[in-house]
Amino acid sequence: ITSSKMPEPGGRYTVILLMDVLQLVQDRQGLLKGIRGLLVPEGRLLIALPHAKTSWRIRLRWAGLDGHYEDGAVKNYSLTEMYEEGQAAGFRVIHCEPTVYDTPWTGLIDLIGQVCWPLYHVLMRWKRRRVMANWLESTGFRLVCVKSS
């Protein structure tokens, strides 16, 4: 998406979703400002972004094993950078939450989910508790932003 392909501004939308897209865009500020022009006053922008700076991902990259978040990504965000990007485009972050705990056991946990739902449910609750205790170990973040006046 380029800013030249954005619809004409006019404040027509109350909510716009931007799910796992922003990190792939070259002109992120142009896109965010274009979206801001499409929102009504106090309109909401819901953003989901991956977080490539968990301790597990850093270890994988150090070992040369992880290219998942690098493939096609123009920008890998830290939590602070996510807030700053939205504010620079005229948004106020009103809610932020982590997605899921990043662990080397993710593949095994997902496999368990295919054969034993009760155990998978227990493990997913464990992952949720872990990520809520340490947001910086989240695989990503979800933000709710409001168009600033």
Side-chain angles (χ1 to χ4, degrees):
I1 298 173
T2 65
S3 53
S4 64
K5 293 183 181 178
M6 292 288 291
E8 289 296 317
R12 295 184 292 259
Y13 301 98
T14 56
V15 177
I16 294 177
L17 305 176
L18 196 60
M19 312 306 270
D20 291 322
V21 171
L22 195 56
Q23 74 277 6
L24 303 173
V25 175
Q26 289 283 343
D27 182 12
R28 293 179 304 281
Q29 281 299 303
L31 176 64
L32 289 172
K33 288 176 181 176
I35 288 172
R36 188 177 186 283
L38 298 173
L39 288 167
V40 298
E42 296 296 313
R44 309 271 169 122
L45 172 61
L46 309 179
I47 303 174
L49 289 166
H51 178 229
K53 297 177 182 171
T54 67
S55 59
W56 175 240
R57 293 289 170 199
I58 290 168
R59 281 189 219 115
L60 285 174
R61 275 192 297 282
W62 177 83
L65 299 173
D66 180 42
H68 176 71
Y69 288 115
E70 304 300 326
D71 292 342
V74 173
K75 173 77 176 161
N76 289 314
Y77 284 91
S78 70
L79 186 55
T80 302
E81 291 168 329
M82 291 178 203
Y83 273 80
E84 291 169 352
E85 190 88 63
Q87 289 172 343
F91 288 97
R92 188 176 77 253
V93 177
I94 61 169
H95 179 78
C96 178
E97 66 181 30
T99 52
V100 68
Y101 182 66
D102 195 15
T103 172
W105 301 105
T106 296
L108 179 60
I109 291 170
D110 290 345
L111 183 61
I112 289 169
Q114 299 299 311
V115 294
C116 182
W117 179 251
L119 179 55
Y120 177 75
H121 187 66
V122 168
L123 292 169
M124 291 306 292
R125 283 196 322 251
W126 170 79
K127 284 176 70 173
R128 185 68 182 165
R129 283 192 308 273
R130 291 287 305 224
V131 79
M132 293 310 288
N134 186 357
W135 281 32
L136 296 180
E137 293 302 321
S138 177
T139 59
F141 298 96
R142 287 177 273 215
L143 292 86
V144 178
C145 306
V146 173
K147 178 180 175 178
S148 299
S149 305

